[in-house]
Amino acid sequence: MTTDAGEPTLTIDELAARAGVTVRTVRFYGTKGLLPPPVIGPRRVGHYGREHLARLELIEEMQHQGMTLAAIERHLRQLPADLGPHDLAIQRAVVASWAPDTVETVSRAELERRAGRRLAGEDVDRLAAMNVVTRDGESFRVDCGLLRLAVRLLDAPLSQETILAARTVLTDHARAAAHELSDLLRQAVAERDTRDVKSLSAHMHPLVVQALLTTFQRSLKEELRQWLDGAADREAPSGGTAAPGAGSRGTPSG
């Protein structure tokens, strides 16, 4: 089944599997109003879309960070009602940025549960190439902060070389930005005491993360827009033939 926009939808079992949670959890979030109701299809079967999955992943990320259900409800109420999957993913990235660098050793079954899907041997090899998963005998050492992102990249129509090159670009530029911002802040508090430095750090961390995400998001959208506009211009028919019914500039077409 697909939505009106032509996007494929998920049953509640498929949604739960993709998000790595139980069906009971999905229903619980629905009764609490944290998830919008599904679209009811034939035979009274509920169908969920990309927005449901993105919102569910955001909720799970906030849970993972130790937020209470009441705090999650307050946070979700403050978000625009028409927030799409892409913007929900940005929200999740902001929340995830607070996650500590955690590496855990898990079984194959637990790895797949956290990934929210079955993983073929080739999938595990690609995750290992991205330095997200490391084999440890019969177990796996997993970078929990990057696992969900890496799993999504498994389905991206990009080669492994392109993904690794993109990661290098992002890492290098992020480190350079972090270094320059740290220098600016260090100079700003050079004459302050330790308490002021800690206070500034606590206030600036979320602001800087949000600013970086927003700035990068807008810059990337502009780059993609220019790229797509350029591709459309190259594909447009040439030869200067005017559209049917169109007159020359300044001359009535009738």
Side-chain angles (χ1 to χ4, degrees), residues 54-76:
R55 189 173 290 267
L56 181 55
E57 290 176 336
L58 172 59
I59 295 169
E60 283 294 296
E61 188 64 55
M62 290 189 285
Q63 285 265 50
H64 181 69
Q65 295 304 317
M67 293 178 65
T68 64
L69 279 178
I72 293 173
E73 287 183 66
R74 287 195 299 270
H75 181 81
L76 293 179

Tab-separated table of all heavy atoms in Angstrom, residues 54-76:
chain	number	residue	atom	x	y	z
A	54	ALA	N	10.285	8.362	11.455
A	54	ALA	CA	11.212	9.407	11.901
A	54	ALA	C	10.857	9.892	13.305
A	54	ALA	O	11.733	10.119	14.142
A	54	ALA	CB	11.200	10.576	10.914
A	55	ARG	N	9.552	10.045	13.567
A	55	ARG	CA	9.124	10.494	14.895
A	55	ARG	C	9.415	9.425	15.948
A	55	ARG	O	9.844	9.731	17.069
A	55	ARG	CB	7.637	10.843	14.873
A	55	ARG	CG	7.130	11.521	16.146
A	55	ARG	CD	5.696	11.985	15.956
A	55	ARG	NE	5.635	13.111	15.026
A	55	ARG	CZ	5.661	14.384	15.421
A	55	ARG	NH1	5.751	14.690	16.704
A	55	ARG	NH2	5.585	15.352	14.539
A	56	LEU	N	9.195	8.171	15.585
A	56	LEU	CA	9.470	7.075	16.518
A	56	LEU	C	10.960	7.002	16.839
A	56	LEU	O	11.354	6.796	17.999
A	56	LEU	CB	8.988	5.755	15.910
A	56	LEU	CG	9.157	4.479	16.746
A	56	LEU	CD1	8.511	4.643	18.111
A	56	LEU	CD2	8.560	3.291	16.012
A	57	GLU	N	11.803	7.196	15.845
A	57	GLU	CA	13.245	7.177	16.079
A	57	GLU	C	13.676	8.352	16.951
A	57	GLU	O	14.588	8.226	17.772
A	57	GLU	CB	13.986	7.205	14.741
A	57	GLU	CG	13.845	5.900	13.965
A	57	GLU	CD	14.502	5.953	12.599
A	57	GLU	OE1	14.664	7.083	12.070
A	57	GLU	OE2	14.838	4.893	12.060
A	58	LEU	N	13.027	9.508	16.777
A	58	LEU	CA	13.326	10.660	17.635
A	58	LEU	C	12.946	10.357	19.079
A	58	LEU	O	13.709	10.648	20.008
A	58	LEU	CB	12.571	11.887	17.129
A	58	LEU	CG	12.613	13.136	18.016
A	58	LEU	CD1	14.043	13.598	18.249
A	58	LEU	CD2	11.783	14.260	17.403
A	59	ILE	N	11.777	9.766	19.281
A	59	ILE	CA	11.331	9.411	20.639
A	59	ILE	C	12.306	8.437	21.289
A	59	ILE	O	12.702	8.594	22.444
A	59	ILE	CB	9.918	8.809	20.601
A	59	ILE	CG1	8.910	9.854	20.127
A	59	ILE	CG2	9.511	8.266	21.967
A	59	ILE	CD1	7.541	9.280	19.805
A	60	GLU	N	12.708	7.421	20.523
A	60	GLU	CA	13.634	6.429	21.058
A	60	GLU	C	14.977	7.058	21.406
A	60	GLU	O	15.605	6.683	22.401
A	60	GLU	CB	13.822	5.300	20.040
A	60	GLU	CG	12.664	4.319	19.986
A	60	GLU	CD	12.528	3.537	21.277
A	60	GLU	OE1	13.451	2.769	21.615
A	60	GLU	OE2	11.495	3.708	21.957
A	61	GLU	N	15.430	8.020	20.588
A	61	GLU	CA	16.698	8.694	20.875
A	61	GLU	C	16.596	9.486	22.176
A	61	GLU	O	17.522	9.482	23.001
A	61	GLU	CB	17.072	9.611	19.718
A	61	GLU	CG	18.462	10.216	19.830
A	61	GLU	CD	19.556	9.167	19.779
A	61	GLU	OE1	19.599	8.387	18.816
A	61	GLU	OE2	20.389	9.137	20.725
A	62	MET	N	15.477	10.174	22.364
A	62	MET	CA	15.295	10.937	23.602
A	62	MET	C	15.207	10.007	24.806
A	62	MET	O	15.729	10.316	25.884
A	62	MET	CB	14.050	11.817	23.483
A	62	MET	CG	14.225	12.977	22.505
A	62	MET	SD	12.873	14.191	22.543
A	62	MET	CE	11.595	13.288	21.665
A	63	GLN	N	14.552	8.864	24.626
A	63	GLN	CA	14.512	7.866	25.699
A	63	GLN	C	15.921	7.396	26.026
A	63	GLN	O	16.294	7.244	27.189
A	63	GLN	CB	13.652	6.667	25.268
A	63	GLN	CG	12.161	6.934	25.300
A	63	GLN	CD	11.531	6.466	26.605
A	63	GLN	OE1	12.003	6.790	27.682
A	63	GLN	NE2	10.454	5.713	26.482
A	64	HIS	N	16.706	7.145	24.980
A	64	HIS	CA	18.074	6.672	25.158
A	64	HIS	C	18.921	7.683	25.922
A	64	HIS	O	19.837	7.311	26.662
A	64	HIS	CB	18.704	6.384	23.794
A	64	HIS	CG	20.109	5.867	23.858
A	64	HIS	ND1	20.431	4.620	24.340
A	64	HIS	CD2	21.296	6.449	23.514
A	64	HIS	CE1	21.730	4.442	24.292
A	64	HIS	NE2	22.283	5.541	23.799
A	65	GLN	N	18.608	8.976	25.746
A	65	GLN	CA	19.348	10.021	26.438
A	65	GLN	C	18.854	10.238	27.864
A	65	GLN	O	19.354	11.116	28.574
A	65	GLN	CB	19.254	11.332	25.653
A	65	GLN	CG	19.906	11.296	24.293
A	65	GLN	CD	21.352	10.895	24.343
A	65	GLN	OE1	22.093	11.355	25.209
A	65	GLN	NE2	21.776	10.021	23.441
A	66	GLY	N	17.865	9.439	28.286
A	66	GLY	CA	17.406	9.512	29.673
A	66	GLY	C	16.258	10.462	29.920
A	66	GLY	O	15.915	10.728	31.082
A	67	MET	N	15.639	10.996	28.862
A	67	MET	CA	14.513	11.905	29.043
A	67	MET	C	13.274	11.131	29.485
A	67	MET	O	13.015	10.020	29.011
A	67	MET	CB	14.222	12.663	27.747
A	67	MET	CG	15.316	13.624	27.329
A	67	MET	SD	14.960	14.455	25.749
A	67	MET	CE	13.519	15.433	26.186
A	68	THR	N	12.497	11.707	30.379
A	68	THR	CA	11.254	11.087	30.827
A	68	THR	C	10.181	11.256	29.760
A	68	THR	O	10.298	12.101	28.868
A	68	THR	CB	10.774	11.716	32.137
A	68	THR	OG1	10.451	13.101	31.885
A	68	THR	CG2	11.849	11.639	33.213
A	69	LEU	N	9.118	10.465	29.867
A	69	LEU	CA	8.020	10.589	28.908
A	69	LEU	C	7.399	11.983	28.962
A	69	LEU	O	7.016	12.539	27.935
A	69	LEU	CB	6.951	9.533	29.185
A	69	LEU	CG	7.227	8.133	28.624
A	69	LEU	CD1	6.109	7.183	29.025
A	69	LEU	CD2	7.380	8.165	27.108
A	70	ALA	N	7.305	12.536	30.172
A	70	ALA	CA	6.737	13.882	30.310
A	70	ALA	C	7.601	14.904	29.582
A	70	ALA	O	7.085	15.796	28.897
A	70	ALA	CB	6.620	14.250	31.786
A	71	ALA	N	8.926	14.771	29.694
A	71	ALA	CA	9.833	15.698	29.010
A	71	ALA	C	9.748	15.511	27.490
A	71	ALA	O	9.793	16.480	26.735
A	71	ALA	CB	11.262	15.474	29.481
A	72	ILE	N	9.606	14.262	27.061
A	72	ILE	CA	9.482	13.986	25.625
A	72	ILE	C	8.192	14.590	25.083
A	72	ILE	O	8.166	15.189	24.000
A	72	ILE	CB	9.531	12.470	25.364
A	72	ILE	CG1	10.920	11.923	25.692
A	72	ILE	CG2	9.176	12.150	23.913
A	72	ILE	CD1	11.028	10.412	25.625
A	73	GLU	N	7.111	14.440	25.841
A	73	GLU	CA	5.833	15.024	25.421
A	73	GLU	C	5.954	16.540	25.285
A	73	GLU	O	5.454	17.127	24.313
A	73	GLU	CB	4.746	14.669	26.434
A	73	GLU	CG	4.298	13.220	26.397
A	73	GLU	CD	3.168	12.955	27.365
A	73	GLU	OE1	2.072	13.497	27.146
A	73	GLU	OE2	3.385	12.218	28.343
A	74	ARG	N	6.598	17.190	26.248
A	74	ARG	CA	6.760	18.648	26.190
A	74	ARG	C	7.581	19.046	24.965
A	74	ARG	O	7.257	20.011	24.272
A	74	ARG	CB	7.434	19.162	27.471
A	74	ARG	CG	6.539	19.143	28.696
A	74	ARG	CD	7.134	19.991	29.811
A	74	ARG	NE	8.438	19.495	30.221
A	74	ARG	CZ	8.629	18.587	31.179
A	74	ARG	NH1	7.572	18.073	31.808
A	74	ARG	NH2	9.837	18.204	31.508
A	75	HIS	N	8.639	18.285	24.700
A	75	HIS	CA	9.498	18.603	23.563
A	75	HIS	C	8.732	18.454	22.242
A	75	HIS	O	8.813	19.321	21.367
A	75	HIS	CB	10.718	17.682	23.554
A	75	HIS	CG	11.672	17.949	22.426
A	75	HIS	ND1	12.613	18.963	22.458
A	75	HIS	CD2	11.833	17.343	21.218
A	75	HIS	CE1	13.299	18.970	21.329
A	75	HIS	NE2	12.846	17.992	20.554
A	76	LEU	N	7.970	17.372	22.111
A	76	LEU	CA	7.236	17.136	20.869
A	76	LEU	C	6.128	18.163	20.664
A	76	LEU	O	5.825	18.543	19.527
A	76	LEU	CB	6.657	15.718	20.861
A	76	LEU	CG	7.676	14.572	20.793
A	76	LEU	CD1	6.962	13.232	20.830
A	76	LEU	CD2	8.541	14.686	19.541
